[in-house]
Amino acid sequence: MKKQLYLFLFLVPLVTMAQNIDRSKAPSPGKAPIIQVGNPVKFTLANGLQVFVVKNTKLPKVSATLALDYDGFVEGDKAGVAQMAGQLLKRGTTTKSKAQLDEAIEFLGGTMSTSSQSASVSSLKGNFPSLLGLLSEVVLQPALAPEELEKIRKQTLSGIESSKDDPDAISGNVVKKLVYGANHPFGEMMTTKTVNQVAIADVKSFLSIYWIPNVAYLIFVGDIEPATAKALAEKSFGNWKRGTAIKQNFAKPNKPSQTYVAIVDRPASVQSVVAIASTVDLLPGSSNDIAGSVMNNILGGGFSGRLFANLREKYAFTYGAYSSLSPSRQIGIFQAEASVRNEKTDSAVQELLREINIIRNEQVGETELSRMKNYLSGGFARSLENPATIANFALNIARNNLPADYYQKYLTNLAAVDAAKVQNAAKLFLNTNQMHIVIVGNAKQISKGLEKYGPLKYFDIEGNEVAAPTEVKADASLTPAVLMEKAIAAIGSKEALSNIKDVQLNGTANLMGQSLQMQQTIVMPGNAVTTMSMGSMAIMKQAVVDGKYSVAQQGMEMPITDDLKEGLDASATLVPEQLFLTKGYGLKIVGAEKVDGKDAIDVEVTTPSKKVSHRFYDAKTFLLVKTSKSEEIPGRGTVTQQQFYTGYQTVNGVQVASEQLIDMGQMKINIKFTDIKVNQGLKSSDLK
């Protein structure tokens, strides 16, 4: 039993009110002031723990953050141990179970968080000493219970499993591995195998080596006197024993000898995630740091960046295109990225590279430069309104060995950035002849034309090089009519199908994190209603009842086209394939591809109104596993909607797909039917 949901998307234009301001000219810049950034009170405990105190009495609130300063380490076959250790810290102490610890934090009205390199607490002033005491217990006396580690392992493995189907997560992992290398801490990737190998002994070893006071900072921010903070720091962490700080030297990642294209084949993708990346020699606070920041923001730092203006505003390839330039004591990275429609992958790569080359080879105009410097100046000024900023500045100065007046002179140094310095930064950090172009998408649809950017290489989702995907070929002896008959038989026997008079499927639809109610009801012959609702409010309703068609979205009735009627008719039958054989549809087997790792036969379906879609049938079972339809939407170009069918169940001798995924690129809808009712005696009148 299969039914296709026909969803209709609408664009809501954003209307901007014009203001009586001449924006054609940038304001004349004034002299950049030297900012008087408040200095925190600093002291160091006997064990080497450095403490910063930023007093702020606007609210009777205090927070404390314990930050560990280490450059990372190669976790190897235990990749994930640091992350899991950070999570385990908050799972109980030697005197309190996890439940007791959570209760104590809640009783104090506070919050606590822990990670691989930090731990923090926050509460009202009166409860803060007690809360800091709990943080001390968490850091110095963690229970490290094996049963809690197993819970974390289960959660971590679940996250890894989910990421395997997330193109953005796949892209991020593969980019890191290819850019940095598998033997660099920045290039490591957690896998099911490595997470399963992490034991309590590994967690204890990690904490004993890297969680030591002489590589740590304790930062207080809020309504607290420095003397009080010092007394609390001594009481809570004075007995923390020093350790031997380990400094690892990692081999500098090699840039590729030439730019190449790394493709991660994901046949189910209707979009490609495109990333162009390279390592950069850029230390925090170095002479090119601020100029590099200006350059990157002009290129792709936000909505006003050139990449956004090109790929979204000019060509409508994507919802957004951005770049980042990240300094690091180890090795920095430049990255430009966008998610684009499959058919525009080649063009998107071309435009990304073109914009990178332009900012490298041509000086930016004064208006554009002034606008960006004003933007960055404003952001810096606004950040000073947050007292935590002062603490972060002090921490960055200490961690990165910056000049003591680095932030005081920031605006002066920013003002000194001119077009020549921006171009110099681009030439230093952007070399399109030595970049990794990583693309996660449908290799069959996107690979053609990419070879002009460099050699094509193929990788799996863990960044391991693999052979190019082989083309799946359909059985040459299989005709469209025979395939349709096999697909019908796969659903159920003629007797079983004839015995089904009505069907109702109830479940949920998860849309962008929002859980909605989903119901589909079919009354044979030719009647169906599909609703998606939130409580009593219908988000979407489409129906064909007694030959009358209607579609409404958020209460708005939509015009009924011939194409829409054909779609609704297909949803009002258990077996749309029967319509395809009898109602003048055109059928053509056009090939085959992998769907969820299995061979599937691709059938092109042309409706009587000449609309084309594709249906994919499992090559062995002949059950429908995927549909695909593309259409032109004003302002967005060609939009492809894919629908995947899984979780087949046998109900009254008929196969029902209990799980469906609607994939429209940026928007996905996960549907799960948990209650399937057959032959309730429903009539078409019950659907009105």
Side-chain angles (χ1 to χ4, degrees):
M1 184 188 306
K2 316 175 287 291
K3 296 160 295 297
Q4 176 142 6
L5 297 178
Y6 290 80
L7 302 183
F8 304 90
L9 306 178
F10 301 91
L11 299 178
V12 180
L14 300 177
V15 180
T16 303
M17 300 296 294
Q19 301 182 34
N20 295 320
I21 300 174
D22 184 3
R23 301 185 183 276
S24 64
K25 299 180 180 179
S28 301
K31 185 179 179 181
I34 295 178
I35 300 296
Q36 298 302 314
V37 179
N39 292 317
V41 176
K42 295 182 277 187
F43 53 86
T44 303
L45 303 189
N47 58 11
L49 178 64
Q50 297 184 59
V51 184
F52 300 153
V53 185
V54 179
K55 183 181 177 180
N56 183 279
T57 59
K58 288 184 178 180
L59 294 172
K61 183 179 178 180
V62 187
S63 64
T65 298
L66 185 68
L68 280 296
D69 186 18
Y70 59 87
D71 290 328
F73 66 101
V74 178
E75 300 180 354
D77 60 359
K78 303 291 180 68
V81 62
Q83 176 179 308
M84 296 169 74
Q87 294 176 335
L88 192 57
L89 283 173
K90 199 190 167 187
R91 297 296 185 102
T93 70
T94 55
T95 64
K96 296 178 180 65
S97 67
K98 179 182 182 303
Q100 290 171 329
L101 178 63
D102 291 343
E103 184 179 0
I105 296 169
E106 184 179 1
F107 179 77
L108 294 171
T111 60
M112 178 185 293
S113 63
T114 60
S115 70
S116 62
Q117 285 189 267
S118 68
S120 62
V121 289
S122 179
S123 75
L124 293 175
K125 177 181 179 179
N127 294 334
F128 180 75
S130 298
L131 189 62
L132 189 67
L134 291 178
L135 182 65
S136 172
E137 276 195 59
V138 164
V139 174
L140 304 185
Q141 305 171 56
L144 305 180
E147 61 272 18
E148 292 296 335
L149 178 62
E150 292 309 311
K151 293 177 183 177
I152 292 171
R153 191 191 317 277
K154 185 177 180 180
Q155 294 169 355
T156 305
L157 291 173
S158 177
I160 291 173
E161 199 60 33
S162 297
S163 70
K164 291 179 180 179
D165 197 42
D166 183 343
D168 291 312
I170 295 170
S171 176
N173 285 333
V174 174
V175 167
K176 289 190 298 181
K177 187 169 183 178
L178 297 184
V179 170
Y180 295 113
N183 296 319
H184 192 282
F186 296 171
E188 285 194 305
M189 184 187 309
M190 289 191 302
T191 67
T192 299
K193 182 179 180 181
T194 65
V195 169
N196 277 325
Q197 293 181 148
V198 175
I200 284 291
D202 302 310
V203 172
K204 291 180 178 179
S205 176
F206 163 75
L207 292 173
S208 67
I209 295 173
Y210 295 99
W211 276 66
I212 53 177
N214 42 306
V215 297
Y217 302 87
L218 181 61
I219 304 105
F220 293 92
V221 178
D223 190 3
I224 187 169
E225 296 292 338
T228 303
K230 186 173 184 178
L232 288 174
E234 289 279 9
K235 180 180 179 181
S236 299
F237 296 101
N239 294 327
W240 193 2
K241 295 183 179 179
R242 294 177 66 98
T244 302
I246 295 181
K247 289 288 185 180
Q248 293 192 24
N249 294 315
F250 309 107
K252 185 178 178 180
N254 294 319
K255 292 188 176 187
S257 58
Q258 68 176 113
T259 294
Y260 71 102
V261 181
I263 297 176
V264 181
D265 185 25
R266 192 172 180 272
S269 291
V270 299
Q271 287 189 307
S272 299
V273 179
V274 179
I276 300 176
S278 172
T279 56
V280 295
D281 293 315
L282 179 58
L283 293 172
S286 64
S287 59
N288 293 305
D289 189 358
I290 295 177
S293 174
V294 175
M295 180 275 296
N296 175 72
N297 276 278
I298 290 173
L299 176 64
F303 298 144
S304 62
R306 293 180 177 183
L307 297 182
F308 193 95
N310 184 324
L311 275 77
R312 171 166 172 158
E313 301 297 339
K314 183 178 181 179
Y315 289 113
F317 291 164
T318 178
Y319 284 101
Y322 309 96
S323 66
S324 60
L325 182 67
S326 305
S328 170
R329 292 183 305 195
Q330 288 291 319
I331 186 72
I333 186 173
F334 166 79
Q335 186 167 331
E337 57 190 352
S339 294
V340 303
R341 306 192 305 277
N342 282 346
E343 65 272 17
K344 299 300 182 182
T345 302
D346 176 11
S347 300
V349 173
Q350 176 177 296
E351 292 304 314
L352 286 168
L353 292 173
R354 189 174 76 86
E355 291 292 353
I356 292 171
N357 281 321
I358 288 175
I359 201 167
R360 190 175 190 275
N361 297 321
E362 300 176 12
Q363 289 194 357
V364 301
E366 284 301 319
T367 299
E368 187 177 25
L369 178 60
S370 295
R371 185 184 297 118
M372 183 51 64
K373 288 161 65 174
N374 288 337
Y375 171 78
L376 294 174
S377 298
F380 180 81
R382 287 190 297 274
S383 74
L384 298 176
E385 297 173 2
N386 185 352
T389 298
I390 298 172
N392 290 331
F393 285 173
L395 183 59
N396 288 336
I397 289 171
R399 275 179 160 174
N400 299 308
N401 197 30
L402 302 178
D405 60 356
Y406 178 81
Y407 291 102
Q408 292 177 356
K409 293 183 176 179
Y410 174 81
L411 291 182
T412 300
N413 292 331
L414 176 62
V417 175
D418 57 20
K421 290 180 180 179
V422 170
Q423 186 179 16
N424 181 62
K427 288 184 174 182
L428 282 173
F429 305 131
L430 310 181
N431 182 359
T432 55
N433 295 319
Q434 287 185 295
M435 285 189 167
H436 308 262
I437 301 176
V438 180
I439 304 175
V440 180
N442 187 324
K444 179 181 177 181
Q445 297 181 12
I446 67 174
S447 57
K448 186 178 180 181
L450 292 175
E451 62 277 355
K452 61 178 170 286
Y453 305 114
L456 299 188
K457 300 181 181 180
Y458 293 86
F459 296 83
D460 63 19
I461 63 174
E462 294 182 354
N464 304 305
E465 191 167 1
V466 296
T470 56
E471 185 178 355
V472 180
K473 295 184 179 180
D475 184 352
S477 66
L478 197 62
T479 66
V482 171
L483 177 57
M484 292 297 105
E485 292 292 350
K486 288 181 177 291
I488 294 170
I491 299 292
S493 66
K494 290 182 180 180
E495 181 181 4
L497 291 171
S498 65
N499 287 335
I500 304 256
K501 307 302 181 184
D502 60 74
V503 179
Q504 188 174 79
L505 296 88
N506 300 285
T508 58
N510 189 289
L511 173 61
M512 302 177 69
Q514 182 70 52
S515 184
L516 307 172
Q517 294 80 49
M518 191 79 191
Q519 185 180 83
Q520 292 181 259
T521 306
I522 299 176
V523 176
M524 271 62 74
N527 302 283
V529 174
T530 299
T531 59
M532 186 186 295
S533 58
M534 181 186 296
S536 60
M537 181 178 68
I539 306 298
M540 181 275 296
K541 182 177 182 180
Q542 55 190 43
V544 51
V545 181
D546 294 336
K548 296 182 179 180
Y549 303 85
S550 65
V551 174
Q553 187 153 343
Q554 296 183 335
M556 290 181 59
E557 291 288 337
M558 309 309 301
I560 305 300
T561 62
D562 289 341
D563 178 37
L564 182 53
K565 288 182 180 180
E566 291 164 347
L568 293 175
D569 285 337
S571 72
T573 175
L574 295 177
V575 191
E577 288 76 13
Q578 293 174 334
L579 291 179
F580 303 156
L581 291 174
T582 61
K583 299 295 184 179
Y585 282 72
L587 300 171
K588 181 181 179 182
I589 296 176
V590 295
E593 67 176 49
K594 295 285 186 181
V595 177
D596 196 24
K598 298 178 180 179
D599 293 352
I601 303 166
D602 180 1
V603 181
E604 182 182 273
V605 181
T606 304
T607 71
S609 66
K610 307 305 179 185
K611 297 292 184 178
V612 177
S613 64
H614 290 258
R615 299 173 74 85
F616 298 81
Y617 297 88
D618 187 288
K620 291 184 177 180
T621 67
F622 297 101
L623 289 170
L624 181 71
V625 291
K626 171 186 166 182
T627 60
S628 178
K629 183 178 182 181
S630 299
E631 57 184 313
E632 291 292 324
I633 297 192
R636 291 183 57 190
T638 303
V639 175
T640 300
Q641 175 182 304
Q642 295 186 138
Q643 192 159 336
F644 298 85
Y645 302 83
T646 57
Y648 276 93
Q649 300 178 10
T650 303
V651 180
N652 284 39
V654 175
Q655 293 288 324
V656 180
S658 64
E659 297 181 27
Q660 300 176 22
L661 168 64
I662 299 172
D663 187 345
M664 291 170 283
Q666 294 287 336
M667 183 168 68
K668 295 178 174 61
I669 305 175
N670 287 281
I671 301 169
K672 188 172 185 177
F673 294 112
T674 54
D675 180 28
I676 303 173
K677 300 176 180 178
V678 176
N679 293 342
Q680 302 180 83
L682 299 176
K683 301 177 181 179
S684 62
S685 58
D686 297 319
L687 304 182
K688 296 180 180 179

